[in-house]
Short mmCIF file of all heavy atoms in Angstrom, two decimals:
data_model
loop_
_atom_site.label_atom_id
_atom_site.label_comp_id
_atom_site.label_asym_id
_atom_site.label_seq_id
_atom_site.Cartn_x
_atom_site.Cartn_y
_atom_site.Cartn_z
N ARG L 2 86.74 3.99 -172.77
CA ARG L 2 87.15 4.94 -171.78
C ARG L 2 86.39 4.67 -170.40
O ARG L 2 86.94 4.83 -169.34
CB ARG L 2 86.88 6.42 -172.20
CG ARG L 2 87.46 7.51 -171.47
CD ARG L 2 89.01 7.44 -171.48
NE ARG L 2 89.50 7.50 -172.79
CZ ARG L 2 89.90 8.72 -173.36
NH1 ARG L 2 89.79 9.89 -172.70
NH2 ARG L 2 90.39 8.74 -174.57
N TYR L 3 85.09 4.50 -170.56
CA TYR L 3 84.37 4.08 -169.32
C TYR L 3 85.00 2.88 -168.57
O TYR L 3 85.23 2.91 -167.39
CB TYR L 3 82.99 3.59 -169.66
CG TYR L 3 81.90 4.74 -169.50
CD1 TYR L 3 81.01 5.04 -170.50
CD2 TYR L 3 81.77 5.44 -168.28
CE1 TYR L 3 80.04 6.01 -170.37
CE2 TYR L 3 80.77 6.34 -168.09
CZ TYR L 3 79.96 6.66 -169.19
OH TYR L 3 79.02 7.61 -168.94
N ASP L 4 85.26 1.77 -169.48
CA ASP L 4 85.90 0.62 -168.83
C ASP L 4 87.20 0.90 -168.11
O ASP L 4 87.43 0.46 -167.03
CB ASP L 4 86.03 -0.47 -169.87
CG ASP L 4 84.85 -1.08 -170.35
OD1 ASP L 4 83.76 -0.78 -169.64
OD2 ASP L 4 84.79 -1.80 -171.30
N SER L 5 87.99 1.75 -168.87
CA SER L 5 89.34 2.04 -168.24
C SER L 5 89.17 2.85 -166.91
O SER L 5 89.92 2.54 -165.97
CB SER L 5 90.12 2.87 -169.30
OG SER L 5 91.27 3.32 -168.76
N ILE L 6 88.31 3.80 -166.87
CA ILE L 6 88.09 4.58 -165.73
C ILE L 6 87.59 3.86 -164.63
O ILE L 6 88.09 3.85 -163.49
CB ILE L 6 87.34 5.86 -166.06
CG1 ILE L 6 88.12 6.76 -166.96
CG2 ILE L 6 87.05 6.65 -164.74
CD1 ILE L 6 87.32 7.96 -167.53
N LEU L 7 86.44 3.20 -164.79
CA LEU L 7 85.70 2.50 -163.79
C LEU L 7 86.50 1.41 -163.19
O LEU L 7 86.38 1.10 -161.99
CB LEU L 7 84.45 1.99 -164.30
CG LEU L 7 83.30 3.12 -164.57
CD1 LEU L 7 82.14 2.53 -165.41
CD2 LEU L 7 82.83 3.76 -163.32
N SER L 8 87.37 0.77 -163.98
CA SER L 8 88.12 -0.36 -163.43
C SER L 8 89.18 0.07 -162.43
O SER L 8 89.79 -0.68 -161.72
CB SER L 8 88.84 -1.18 -164.55
OG SER L 8 89.84 -0.32 -165.24
N GLN L 9 89.35 1.37 -162.41
CA GLN L 9 90.31 2.03 -161.47
C GLN L 9 89.60 2.66 -160.22
O GLN L 9 90.22 3.56 -159.53
CB GLN L 9 91.22 2.94 -162.17
CG GLN L 9 92.05 2.45 -163.34
CD GLN L 9 92.75 3.52 -164.06
OE1 GLN L 9 93.66 4.19 -163.65
NE2 GLN L 9 92.41 3.63 -165.36
N MET L 10 88.31 2.44 -160.15
CA MET L 10 87.49 3.08 -159.06
C MET L 10 86.89 2.21 -158.05
O MET L 10 85.68 2.09 -158.13
CB MET L 10 86.51 4.06 -159.77
CG MET L 10 87.04 5.15 -160.68
SD MET L 10 85.88 6.16 -161.49
CE MET L 10 85.45 7.30 -160.13
N PRO L 11 87.72 1.54 -157.32
CA PRO L 11 87.03 0.66 -156.24
C PRO L 11 86.26 1.68 -155.25
O PRO L 11 86.58 2.80 -155.14
CB PRO L 11 88.28 0.07 -155.59
CG PRO L 11 89.37 1.06 -155.78
CD PRO L 11 89.06 1.58 -157.16
N THR L 12 85.33 1.10 -154.60
CA THR L 12 84.50 1.97 -153.71
C THR L 12 83.85 1.23 -152.59
O THR L 12 83.82 -0.05 -152.54
CB THR L 12 83.35 2.64 -154.58
OG1 THR L 12 82.76 3.64 -153.82
CG2 THR L 12 82.28 1.61 -154.96
N THR L 13 83.25 1.93 -151.71
CA THR L 13 82.53 1.39 -150.45
C THR L 13 81.25 2.10 -150.25
O THR L 13 81.30 3.35 -150.44
CB THR L 13 83.45 1.59 -149.23
OG1 THR L 13 84.81 1.02 -149.44
CG2 THR L 13 82.78 0.96 -148.03
N VAL L 14 80.25 1.36 -149.96
CA VAL L 14 78.95 1.90 -149.71
C VAL L 14 78.96 3.10 -148.69
O VAL L 14 79.58 2.92 -147.61
CB VAL L 14 77.95 0.86 -149.24
CG1 VAL L 14 76.64 1.44 -148.83
CG2 VAL L 14 77.63 -0.16 -150.38
N ASP L 15 78.35 4.19 -149.01
CA ASP L 15 78.26 5.31 -148.00
C ASP L 15 76.74 5.58 -147.73
O ASP L 15 75.86 5.07 -148.30
CB ASP L 15 79.10 6.48 -148.54
CG ASP L 15 78.53 7.13 -149.79
OD1 ASP L 15 77.41 6.69 -150.18
OD2 ASP L 15 79.19 7.92 -150.38
N GLN L 16 76.57 6.55 -146.77
CA GLN L 16 75.23 6.99 -146.46
C GLN L 16 74.42 7.47 -147.57
O GLN L 16 73.19 7.16 -147.70
CB GLN L 16 75.23 7.95 -145.31
CG GLN L 16 75.77 7.24 -143.93
CD GLN L 16 75.59 8.31 -142.77
OE1 GLN L 16 75.55 9.57 -143.00
NE2 GLN L 16 75.65 7.81 -141.57
N GLN L 17 75.11 8.26 -148.37
CA GLN L 17 74.27 8.86 -149.50
C GLN L 17 73.82 7.80 -150.58
O GLN L 17 72.66 7.91 -150.97
CB GLN L 17 75.28 9.88 -150.23
CG GLN L 17 74.50 10.69 -151.40
CD GLN L 17 75.38 11.78 -152.04
OE1 GLN L 17 76.28 12.20 -151.35
NE2 GLN L 17 75.05 12.11 -153.29
N PHE L 18 74.71 6.85 -150.87
CA PHE L 18 74.25 5.81 -151.72
C PHE L 18 73.12 5.03 -151.05
O PHE L 18 72.13 4.60 -151.85
CB PHE L 18 75.47 4.87 -151.97
CG PHE L 18 75.02 3.80 -152.93
CD1 PHE L 18 74.83 3.95 -154.29
CD2 PHE L 18 74.80 2.48 -152.48
CE1 PHE L 18 74.47 2.95 -155.18
CE2 PHE L 18 74.46 1.40 -153.30
CZ PHE L 18 74.24 1.72 -154.63
N GLY L 19 73.22 4.70 -149.77
CA GLY L 19 72.07 3.95 -149.10
C GLY L 19 70.88 4.73 -149.28
O GLY L 19 69.83 4.04 -149.40
N ALA L 20 70.83 5.98 -148.98
CA ALA L 20 69.58 6.75 -149.10
C ALA L 20 69.16 6.72 -150.42
O ALA L 20 67.82 6.64 -150.70
CB ALA L 20 69.92 8.18 -148.64
N GLN L 21 69.99 6.91 -151.53
CA GLN L 21 69.51 6.90 -152.90
C GLN L 21 68.89 5.47 -153.19
O GLN L 21 67.87 5.43 -153.91
CB GLN L 21 70.64 7.17 -153.84
CG GLN L 21 71.14 8.65 -153.77
CD GLN L 21 72.34 8.88 -154.52
OE1 GLN L 21 73.32 8.04 -154.51
NE2 GLN L 21 72.59 10.10 -155.03
N ALA L 22 69.63 4.48 -152.82
CA ALA L 22 69.10 3.15 -153.10
C ALA L 22 67.71 2.90 -152.40
O ALA L 22 66.79 2.29 -153.10
CB ALA L 22 70.10 2.05 -152.66
N ARG L 23 67.49 3.38 -151.24
CA ARG L 23 66.29 3.19 -150.59
C ARG L 23 65.15 4.02 -151.23
O ARG L 23 64.00 3.56 -151.44
CB ARG L 23 66.41 3.66 -149.11
CG ARG L 23 67.05 2.73 -148.19
CD ARG L 23 66.90 2.93 -146.74
NE ARG L 23 67.46 4.37 -146.37
CZ ARG L 23 68.83 4.53 -146.15
NH1 ARG L 23 69.63 3.58 -146.07
NH2 ARG L 23 69.20 5.67 -145.76
N PHE L 24 65.47 5.20 -151.69
CA PHE L 24 64.51 5.95 -152.41
C PHE L 24 64.09 5.31 -153.70
O PHE L 24 62.84 5.31 -154.09
CB PHE L 24 65.09 7.45 -152.80
CG PHE L 24 64.19 8.23 -153.55
CD1 PHE L 24 63.16 8.98 -152.84
CD2 PHE L 24 64.43 8.53 -154.85
CE1 PHE L 24 62.25 9.74 -153.58
CE2 PHE L 24 63.57 9.38 -155.57
CZ PHE L 24 62.54 10.06 -154.95
N ILE L 25 64.98 4.75 -154.44
CA ILE L 25 64.77 4.00 -155.68
C ILE L 25 63.80 2.82 -155.32
O ILE L 25 62.89 2.56 -156.01
CB ILE L 25 65.93 3.64 -156.41
CG1 ILE L 25 66.67 4.88 -157.00
CG2 ILE L 25 65.64 2.67 -157.59
CD1 ILE L 25 68.04 4.69 -157.51
N GLY L 26 64.22 2.14 -154.30
CA GLY L 26 63.43 1.00 -153.86
C GLY L 26 62.04 1.19 -153.47
O GLY L 26 61.13 0.49 -153.71
N GLN L 27 61.74 2.46 -152.90
CA GLN L 27 60.41 2.83 -152.66
C GLN L 27 59.45 2.99 -153.83
O GLN L 27 58.27 2.69 -153.78
CB GLN L 27 60.42 4.05 -151.85
CG GLN L 27 60.99 3.97 -150.43
CD GLN L 27 61.10 5.40 -149.79
OE1 GLN L 27 60.80 6.37 -150.38
NE2 GLN L 27 61.65 5.42 -148.55
N LYS L 28 60.16 3.24 -154.98
CA LYS L 28 59.33 3.31 -156.25
C LYS L 28 59.03 1.93 -156.89
O LYS L 28 58.23 2.02 -157.80
CB LYS L 28 60.21 4.17 -157.27
CG LYS L 28 60.53 5.49 -156.85
CD LYS L 28 61.31 6.33 -157.93
CE LYS L 28 61.62 7.77 -157.59
NZ LYS L 28 62.48 8.39 -158.64
N ILE L 29 59.54 0.94 -156.41
CA ILE L 29 59.22 -0.45 -156.82
C ILE L 29 57.66 -0.71 -156.76
O ILE L 29 57.15 -1.33 -157.60
CB ILE L 29 60.01 -1.53 -156.26
CG1 ILE L 29 61.53 -1.27 -156.43
CG2 ILE L 29 59.61 -2.92 -156.73
CD1 ILE L 29 62.38 -2.24 -155.76
N GLY L 30 57.14 -0.14 -155.79
CA GLY L 30 55.73 -0.40 -155.51
C GLY L 30 54.82 0.07 -156.62
O GLY L 30 53.65 -0.36 -156.76
N SER L 31 55.35 1.04 -157.53
CA SER L 31 54.45 1.55 -158.63
C SER L 31 54.55 0.64 -159.78
O SER L 31 53.85 0.78 -160.81
CB SER L 31 55.01 3.05 -158.98
OG SER L 31 56.28 2.98 -159.48
N LEU L 32 55.52 -0.36 -159.71
CA LEU L 32 55.69 -1.23 -160.89
C LEU L 32 54.59 -2.35 -160.92
O LEU L 32 54.22 -2.82 -159.74
CB LEU L 32 57.09 -1.86 -160.93
CG LEU L 32 58.24 -0.92 -161.21
CD1 LEU L 32 59.52 -1.73 -160.98
CD2 LEU L 32 58.18 -0.27 -162.50
N PRO L 33 54.30 -2.84 -162.01
CA PRO L 33 53.51 -4.14 -162.00
C PRO L 33 54.29 -5.34 -161.20
O PRO L 33 55.44 -5.22 -161.25
CB PRO L 33 53.32 -4.46 -163.42
CG PRO L 33 53.46 -3.20 -164.18
CD PRO L 33 54.39 -2.36 -163.36
N GLU L 34 53.58 -6.19 -160.63
CA GLU L 34 54.23 -7.15 -159.74
C GLU L 34 55.33 -7.92 -160.48
O GLU L 34 56.33 -8.11 -159.94
CB GLU L 34 53.20 -8.12 -159.25
CG GLU L 34 53.71 -9.16 -158.22
CD GLU L 34 52.69 -10.03 -157.81
OE1 GLU L 34 51.46 -9.73 -157.90
OE2 GLU L 34 52.99 -11.03 -157.07
N SER L 35 55.13 -8.37 -161.75
CA SER L 35 56.13 -9.06 -162.50
C SER L 35 57.29 -8.24 -162.73
O SER L 35 58.51 -8.75 -162.63
CB SER L 35 55.51 -9.58 -163.84
OG SER L 35 55.12 -8.54 -164.58
N ASN L 36 57.09 -6.93 -163.04
CA ASN L 36 58.32 -6.06 -163.23
C ASN L 36 59.01 -5.82 -161.99
O ASN L 36 60.27 -5.63 -161.94
CB ASN L 36 57.84 -4.71 -163.90
CG ASN L 36 57.29 -4.93 -165.29
OD1 ASN L 36 56.23 -4.43 -165.63
ND2 ASN L 36 58.03 -5.61 -166.11
N ALA L 37 58.27 -5.68 -160.88
CA ALA L 37 58.99 -5.45 -159.60
C ALA L 37 59.86 -6.58 -159.19
O ALA L 37 61.02 -6.38 -158.78
CB ALA L 37 57.82 -5.25 -158.47
N ALA L 38 59.39 -7.85 -159.55
CA ALA L 38 60.20 -9.00 -159.15
C ALA L 38 61.42 -9.05 -160.12
O ALA L 38 62.61 -9.39 -159.59
CB ALA L 38 59.43 -10.27 -159.30
N GLN L 39 61.21 -8.70 -161.35
CA GLN L 39 62.27 -8.68 -162.28
C GLN L 39 63.34 -7.58 -161.93
O GLN L 39 64.55 -7.93 -162.00
CB GLN L 39 61.73 -8.38 -163.70
CG GLN L 39 62.77 -8.47 -164.81
CD GLN L 39 62.15 -8.34 -166.12
OE1 GLN L 39 61.08 -7.81 -166.23
NE2 GLN L 39 62.84 -8.75 -167.18
N PHE L 40 62.94 -6.49 -161.52
CA PHE L 40 63.75 -5.41 -161.10
C PHE L 40 64.71 -5.90 -159.93
O PHE L 40 65.91 -5.75 -159.87
CB PHE L 40 63.02 -4.12 -160.68
CG PHE L 40 63.93 -2.99 -160.24
CD1 PHE L 40 64.63 -2.25 -161.03
CD2 PHE L 40 63.93 -2.78 -158.80
CE1 PHE L 40 65.37 -1.14 -160.56
CE2 PHE L 40 64.83 -1.82 -158.25
CZ PHE L 40 65.47 -0.92 -159.23
N SER L 41 64.02 -6.52 -158.96
CA SER L 41 64.76 -6.98 -157.82
C SER L 41 65.80 -8.07 -158.25
O SER L 41 66.96 -7.97 -157.56
CB SER L 41 63.85 -7.69 -156.76
OG SER L 41 62.92 -6.73 -156.29
N ARG L 42 65.53 -8.84 -159.20
CA ARG L 42 66.58 -9.85 -159.63
C ARG L 42 67.68 -9.21 -160.35
O ARG L 42 68.93 -9.59 -160.11
CB ARG L 42 65.81 -10.81 -160.57
CG ARG L 42 64.94 -11.93 -159.91
CD ARG L 42 64.70 -13.05 -160.91
NE ARG L 42 63.94 -12.56 -162.04
CZ ARG L 42 62.59 -12.50 -162.09
NH1 ARG L 42 61.76 -12.74 -161.09
NH2 ARG L 42 62.03 -12.07 -163.22
N ILE L 43 67.40 -8.10 -161.07
CA ILE L 43 68.43 -7.42 -161.78
C ILE L 43 69.35 -6.80 -160.83
O ILE L 43 70.64 -6.69 -161.04
CB ILE L 43 67.76 -6.30 -162.85
CG1 ILE L 43 67.16 -7.10 -163.97
CG2 ILE L 43 68.72 -5.32 -163.18
CD1 ILE L 43 66.24 -6.26 -164.89
#
């Protein structure tokens, strides 16, 4: 059901998503260096 629904939901980046992504990005500093690099790759 997830696959069926999401495959019909194209989208475009908006301001709210940008703000959320930046907020999550700020938390990377609390991760160990190796995990921070791994998170960025993911």
Side-chain angles (χ1 to χ4, degrees):
R2 192 64 60 91
Y3 259 131
D4 287 349
S5 174
I6 293 171
L7 289 169
S8 65
Q9 302 174 62
M10 299 180 81
T12 193
T13 302
V14 169
D15 61 13
Q16 289 186 345
Q17 184 173 337
F18 179 76
Q21 290 171 326
R23 287 191 296 274
F24 179 74
I25 293 170
Q27 290 170 0
K28 297 182 179 180
I29 296 177
S31 65
L32 294 174
E34 186 174 345
S35 60
N36 294 133
Q39 188 176 15
F40 177 81
S41 296
R42 287 194 299 272
I43 287 172

